Amino acid sequence: MTKEYTTAGEEQTEALGVRLGQLIQPGAVIAYTGDLGAGKTAFTRGLARGLGIPDRVTSPTFTIVNEYEGGRLPLFHFDMYRLGSSDELFDIGWEDYLARGGVCAVEWSENVDDALDEDAIRVDIRRGAQDDQRVISVTNVPDLAADE
Ligand code: ADP
Ligand code: MG
């Protein structure tokens, strides 16, 4: 199932992330696509909040992966912007992260696509007509806009 949402402003994108964080299952992988400044980190900030993680999520660009504990599930936030291939992802222990029963959220997943399973949750974020508008398509999860 693919669902499409339009958000007006960062807060609404975070709110979608919150919703996903509330229902996401252990071992899930979120594969983001979308340009620099699309809102991948904003969405992940909401995801962390939805998982009940107390820390504020920042971009892992220089560290490749940031780990967050203290929520319902651990969150591993990857930024693959600088990776040339999935080999490097395996080198930093991708399979160990998968085995830890947390949530792996992967920015620039297009750089490591062959490491990702069919059942990954795909989150694609595109700019809309207005500056603060984003069109966000999400696969493989229940409707994030539905009531509880
Ligand atoms: P990415 O991780 O995809 O590079 P960020 O989440 O770091 O992007 O940054 C998104 C930027 O776009 C922020 O400066 C944010 O304020 C701005 N923005 C404007 N409208 C939106 C929106 N609807 N959703 C998310 N971010 C938005
Ligand atoms: Mg980012």
Side-chain angles (χ1 to χ4, degrees):
M1 183 175 91
T2 301
K3 276 265 173 191
E4 196 167 270
Y5 311 92
T6 300
T7 65
E10 186 168 6
E11 192 46 52
Q12 288 185 13
T13 296
E14 280 194 35
L16 279 180
V18 169
R19 192 72 191 103
L20 181 56
Q22 289 167 343
L23 53 81
I24 200 162
Q25 300 297 315
V29 173
I30 300 171
Y32 293 106
T33 47
D35 287 344
L36 197 66
K40 304 177 294 293
T41 297
F43 189 101
T44 307
R45 194 169 290 133
L47 182 77
R49 244 168 54 207
L51 284 165
I53 288 163
D55 308 305
R56 181 181 163 85
V57 165
T58 55
S59 178
T61 299
F62 298 101
T63 51
I64 300 188
V65 58
N66 287 341
E67 306 190 19
Y68 299 92
E69 307 278 349
R72 180 172 65 84
L73 302 170
L75 171 64
F76 309 116
H77 182 201
F78 294 80
D79 189 324
M80 306 286 97
Y81 186 66
R82 286 184 164 68
L83 291 206
S85 80
S86 55
D87 294 350
E88 293 167 75
L89 181 59
F90 288 108
D91 288 345
I92 63 165
W94 174 240
E95 287 177 314
D96 299 325
Y97 284 106
L98 288 180
R100 283 166 67 179
V103 173
C104 291
V106 183
E107 298 195 26
W108 299 98
S109 69
E110 46 274 75
N111 287 353
V112 296
D113 212 44
D114 50 329
L116 302 172
D117 281 353
E118 280 288 289
D119 62 354
I121 298 165
R122 308 270 166 182
V123 176
D124 179 66
I125 311 181
R126 278 162 289 142
R127 288 167 197 278
Q130 271 91 51
D131 264 3
D132 70 343
Q133 208 174 67
R134 300 290 186 274
V135 180
I136 304 177
S137 83
V138 184
T139 64
N140 290 337
V141 286
D143 188 357
L144 301 177
D147 294 331
E148 294 294 298

